Amino acid sequence: MNVLIQMLPSILMIVSPILIAAVGGLISERSGVANIALEGLMGIGAFAAATTHVLLEQSFPLSIPLALVLATLAGALFSVIHAFASITLRADQIVSGTGINLLSTGITVFLCQIIFRQERTEPFRLGMLPGWGGIYPTAWIALAVLLLAWYMLYKRPFGLRLRACGEHPQAAASAGINVEATRYIAVILSGALAGLAGGSLVLTQTIQYTVYTINGAGFIALAAVSFGRWLPKGVLGSSLLFGTSVALAIYMVNIPSLRFLPSEFFSVMPYLITLITLVIFSGKEYAPRAVGQPYDKGRS
């Protein structure tokens, strides 16, 4: 228990980007649009945040808040591609999301080559500093995002309309709800949160952006949505579980009694825990009924 208490700031640092991205995935999938592009959108946000901070940190005192804002905007902008393909063109949402993930890698490396003449950003001198108790501000940002999402989804009329679009889009349309517009908003919000998550990750866990910065965090966030039963409290619990497993994997490398195990074992452990957990506990019956299904106006 003492070890976990000592690790709490590190756990929250790792959990925060996963939780922010998972909330974004929750909003998108509740509207009926599967968003496996969280990994790529986090990469776009991480690149935008790292680039902004490294270029402005010596001349602009608010470079970190600005970096997070631009990361959020970059994620929202790139999510429009996914929204257009999956909603307007009614393309396969999995293929569209995969395309975003591939585009993220290519375009960030391309821009790094143009701006920094290398395949990564320059390292910044100082990232985000922890606050009281060694806890980074991203933990409070993640908590605020979760609470706002819960309030929007369950306490506001827009949340009811959004959830209706993910369950029975034809019925929602017959009640006067603009299904396509609602899904567009949900996907763009999802992208904005994924971008914010990427920015939060790069500014707390590393000193520069590379193609390995996100390292599967977006897919872990996607798994947290499924394991969390598409509910805010479930997403919180699953994000804590998966984030803690990542933190433990990092910590266990330094335990002398476990040094006989290869380092690759600790690297793969969080993803193995994620996979096993999904296999044991996930169930299709909890997913929104229309998630992944293109909406056709002609059937309304």
Side-chain angles (χ1 to χ4, degrees):
M1 182 60 68
N2 289 334
V3 172
L4 285 176
I5 293 174
Q6 293 173 3
M7 290 178 59
L8 183 61
S10 297
I11 290 173
L12 293 178
M13 177 187 70
I14 294 171
V15 166
S16 299
I18 294 174
L19 178 57
I20 295 171
V23 171
L26 169 68
I27 292 171
S28 178
E29 298 205 354
R30 273 293 190 174
S31 76
V33 180
N35 194 356
I36 70 165
L38 295 179
E39 178 85 1
L41 294 169
M42 285 183 70
I44 293 292
F47 165 77
T51 301
T52 301
H53 183 47
V54 76
L55 293 177
L56 296 179
E57 67 174 328
Q58 297 186 59
S59 60
F60 186 60
L62 298 177
S63 61
I64 288 181
L66 178 61
L68 290 177
V69 170
L70 292 181
T72 303
L73 292 176
L77 178 63
F78 273 83
S79 68
V80 173
I81 301 172
H82 181 48
F84 180 73
S86 59
I87 300 171
T88 302
L89 301 181
R90 294 194 289 276
D92 188 293
Q93 296 171 11
I94 303 302
V95 174
S96 174
T98 302
I100 295 293
N101 290 334
L102 296 174
L103 175 64
S104 169
T105 302
I107 199 167
T108 53
V109 170
F110 174 71
L111 292 174
C112 283
Q113 289 280 13
I114 292 176
I115 300 171
F116 302 104
R117 300 289 187 262
Q118 58 185 12
E119 294 185 354
R120 60 185 65 195
T121 65
E122 294 286 348
F124 40 83
R125 292 187 176 183
L126 191 65
M128 187 180 292
L129 296 176
W132 177 83
I135 297 174
Y136 284 90
T138 51
W140 307 116
I141 293 173
L143 180 61
V145 165
L146 179 72
L147 292 175
L148 285 172
W150 169 81
Y151 180 74
M152 179 193 74
L153 287 172
Y154 294 97
K155 298 298 180 180
R156 304 301 303 167
F158 175 74
L160 178 61
R161 293 194 292 268
L162 185 148
R163 287 184 286 125
C165 291
E167 293 290 343
H168 300 286
Q170 277 72 33
S174 67
I177 298 171
N178 189 326
V179 175
E180 290 187 340
T182 301
R183 287 186 170 185
Y184 256 95
I185 293 171
V187 173
I188 292 172
L189 282 175
S190 177
L193 291 176
L196 175 61
S200 299
L201 189 154
V202 76
L203 293 174
T204 56
Q205 299 181 33
T206 183
I207 59 169
Q208 64 183 162
Y209 169 79
T210 75
V211 292
Y212 305 106
T213 295
I214 305 304
N215 198 30
F219 293 118
I220 291 177
L222 191 64
V225 176
S226 177
F227 180 51
R229 308 298 199 216
W230 288 267
L231 297 170
K233 63 180 180 181
V235 167
L236 173 61
S238 54
S239 297
L240 284 170
L241 171 64
F242 297 148
T244 301
S245 70
V246 175
L248 285 173
I250 296 171
Y251 177 79
M252 289 171 66
V253 175
N254 299 317
I255 299 178
S257 60
L258 297 176
R259 286 180 181 170
F260 69 94
L261 293 171
S263 60
E264 291 79 8
F265 171 81
F266 302 104
S267 299
V268 78
M269 191 179 74
Y271 308 103
L272 185 61
I273 291 174
T274 302
L275 181 61
I276 293 174
T277 304
L278 285 174
V279 169
I280 295 175
F281 295 103
S282 288
K284 287 286 186 181
E285 67 272 13
Y286 295 97
R289 294 183 184 180
V291 67
Q293 300 176 12
Y295 167 67
D296 187 355
K297 280 185 178 180
R299 296 174 56 193
S300 299

